[in-house]
Amino acid sequence: MTFEPRPTLRVAIGAGGTGGHIYPGLAVAEALREHADIQIEFFGAKGRLEETLVPAAGYRLHTSEVYGLTGVRGSGRAAARLRRASVHCARQIRELGIDVVFGTGGYPSLPIVLGARLAGIPTLIHESNAVPGRANRLGALLSSRVAVAFPETMRAFTRNEVRVVGTPLMREIARLDKWALRDQARTVFGAQPDQKLVIVCGGSLGSRSLTDTALSLAREWRDRDDVRLVVKTGPEHFAEASSEVEDLDNVLVLPYLDRMDLVYAGADTFVGRAGAITVAELSHVGVPSVLVPYPHAPGDHQRHNAQALVTRGTAGMLGDGDLSPASLARSIDDLLGDTTERASIADTAHPRLNDSARTVANWLRQLGGHKSAAYDVVNA
């Protein structure tokens, strides 16, 4: 069947809660913006990270009061808010003339996905984790089309049309030439030419256990002059962490890491959680890593994410309960000491991920020009 696309396509993107949900939405928006006939509206939750990141990227953000569906009593209140927010989003969809909705998972994306069902327009959701989250499991009941990052995730969406697209990455990562930026990156992080640069990052919100362990390791390594540690703490723990190591000159403590392109260009080893974006970026840029999955992630999805890189031989994995200065030191030294392995990992970058954002954007453009395709279920 052929159809004429609308002169101006209006896309709503539901993305919020954490960077792992927001950045894929922003990456797809970047790809959509390559076409002048696209208008984009973001939808998320009040009081969450999207209120900072989305406007900073130049997009308008609509927010709702919506919360995660956890706990019996809390779930009742959250469900009532979700119903109200979804009805409101359906009204906004009609007022804004939205043609297609894209959801990136997480509960802040649910109102616009449910609102799209109420408004009768097509939706596409993206699951970036190896194990689908609760929001996307619910969203998949309302959207006939699902994009996934991992082939093994397809079996969770048996009633949907499913395509493996990878994880949409922001342009500065998707097109990163880390060797061209390496000298600049090492200068920014204060690494000397003969030092190995180890960067510890606990995700978009930080990780107290990773921060504390890394700072203890910095103290144990205070007499080593061959390693430079950079520790991203998150804003809540920055002041305390800085004061703990103010007498050390082998570690740099930062509240944020705003330039992840410089992180990946400069790092000899990366230490962090195993959120979907982190795993996708590490896979793409080819940086040796020690992954410490967040132990309370729904469905233990971070462990499954990490296992994908461990299986490929590009990462080591430490359980959060096994995390200590000694175990972290062993894991880092194993990677730093094997130059052949590090070179091999650098060569395993995942070029297909370059096109993930464009692949999703093109799918949305197709759906947005063909409203009657909204609920045609195709079994994968």
Side-chain angles (χ1 to χ4, degrees):
M1 181 181 296
T2 61
F3 59 91
E4 291 294 327
R6 296 178 55 141
T8 298
L9 188 66
R10 295 175 174 85
V11 181
I13 298 178
T18 66
H21 296 302
I22 298 168
Y23 285 115
L26 291 174
V28 170
E30 277 187 337
L32 286 168
R33 266 187 164 178
E34 294 176 359
H35 303 274
D37 58 346
I38 305 288
Q39 293 184 7
I40 301 167
E41 307 280 344
F42 272 81
F43 289 76
K46 289 184 178 179
R48 299 306 302 265
L49 187 59
E50 56 267 32
E51 287 190 326
T52 299
L53 295 182
V54 171
Y59 300 99
R60 183 163 64 165
L61 175 67
H62 307 267
T63 59
S64 303
E65 287 191 6
V66 59
Y67 302 95
L69 302 174
T70 57
V72 176
R73 184 174 299 176
S75 292
R77 290 194 296 268
R81 289 192 176 99
L82 178 59
R83 285 193 295 270
R84 289 194 296 270
S86 300
V87 171
H88 180 64
C89 282
R91 186 180 306 116
Q92 289 179 295
I93 284 171
R94 297 186 183 101
E95 292 173 351
L96 294 168
I98 299 298
D99 298 301
V100 62
V101 167
F102 176 53
T104 63
Y107 69 83
S109 72
L110 278 176
I112 193 64
V113 172
L114 271 63
R117 180 61 182 262
L118 294 173
I121 67 167
T123 59
L124 170 64
I125 62 175
H126 181 270
E127 178 55 65
S128 54
N129 289 299
V131 176
R134 183 181 301 181
N136 268 348
R137 289 183 183 274
L138 175 58
L141 300 176
L142 307 170
S143 171
S144 62
R145 294 163 180 87
V146 181
V148 298
F150 298 92
E152 56 267 34
T153 312
M154 296 179 69
R155 60 178 176 263
F157 301 107
T158 57
R159 292 182 52 82
N160 307 87
E161 177 187 358
V162 186
R163 301 180 190 177
V164 180
V165 302
T167 296
L169 302 178
M170 297 296 288
R171 186 177 291 117
E172 65 266 21
I173 303 300
R175 302 179 184 179
L176 175 63
D177 182 348
K178 64 182 181 182
W179 303 114
L181 282 179
R182 187 166 175 81
D183 289 345
Q184 176 189 348
R186 291 177 61 80
T187 298
V188 166
F189 294 122
Q192 299 300 313
D194 57 348
Q195 286 183 314
K196 301 297 185 183
L197 181 61
V198 177
I199 298 183
V200 182
C201 175
S204 58
L205 303 178
S207 164
R208 187 60 184 262
S209 62
L210 273 178
T211 294
D212 290 347
T213 303
L215 296 182
S216 296
L217 180 59
R219 187 160 297 281
E220 291 188 9
W221 279 359
R222 61 186 176 275
D223 295 326
R224 287 186 63 165
D225 57 9
D226 62 326
V227 176
R228 171 72 163 171
L229 280 171
V230 174
V231 181
K232 176 251 178 121
T233 65
E236 290 187 10
H237 307 304
F238 173 66
E240 179 183 352
S242 298
S243 65
E244 287 182 20
V245 294
E246 60 185 357
D247 60 321
L248 302 179
D249 58 10
N250 64 337
V251 59
L252 173 65
V253 176
L254 298 171
Y256 302 101
L257 288 170
D258 295 325
R259 291 282 306 274
M260 292 305 294
D261 55 338
L262 295 180
V263 169
Y264 296 134
D268 293 290
T269 295
F270 178 91
V271 180
R273 293 299 195 189
I277 293 299
T278 298
V279 167
E281 290 177 343
L282 290 169
S283 177
H284 176 60
V285 301
V287 175
S289 56
V290 178
L291 298 176
V292 186
Y294 178 58
H296 307 297
D300 202 16
H301 69 253
Q302 286 207 7
R303 183 178 63 82
H304 291 277
N305 292 348
Q307 189 60 50
L309 295 193
V310 173
T311 300
R312 290 176 55 199
T314 61
M317 180 165 50
L318 270 176
D320 193 79
D322 299 322
L323 185 62
S324 68
S327 64
L328 183 58
R330 284 193 300 271
S331 297
I332 292 172
D333 277 332
D334 284 347
L335 288 174
L336 292 180
D338 193 336
T339 56
T340 301
E341 178 69 9
R342 284 190 285 114
S344 174
I345 291 171
D347 289 338
T348 61
H350 204 330
R352 290 189 302 116
L353 291 179
N354 276 324
D355 294 326
S356 294
R358 285 181 176 175
T359 298
V360 173
N362 289 336
W363 197 356
L364 288 169
R365 293 180 73 217
Q366 178 185 5
L367 290 174
H370 190 196
K371 288 189 175 184
S372 65
Y375 303 117
D376 294 337
V377 176
V378 178
N379 289 326

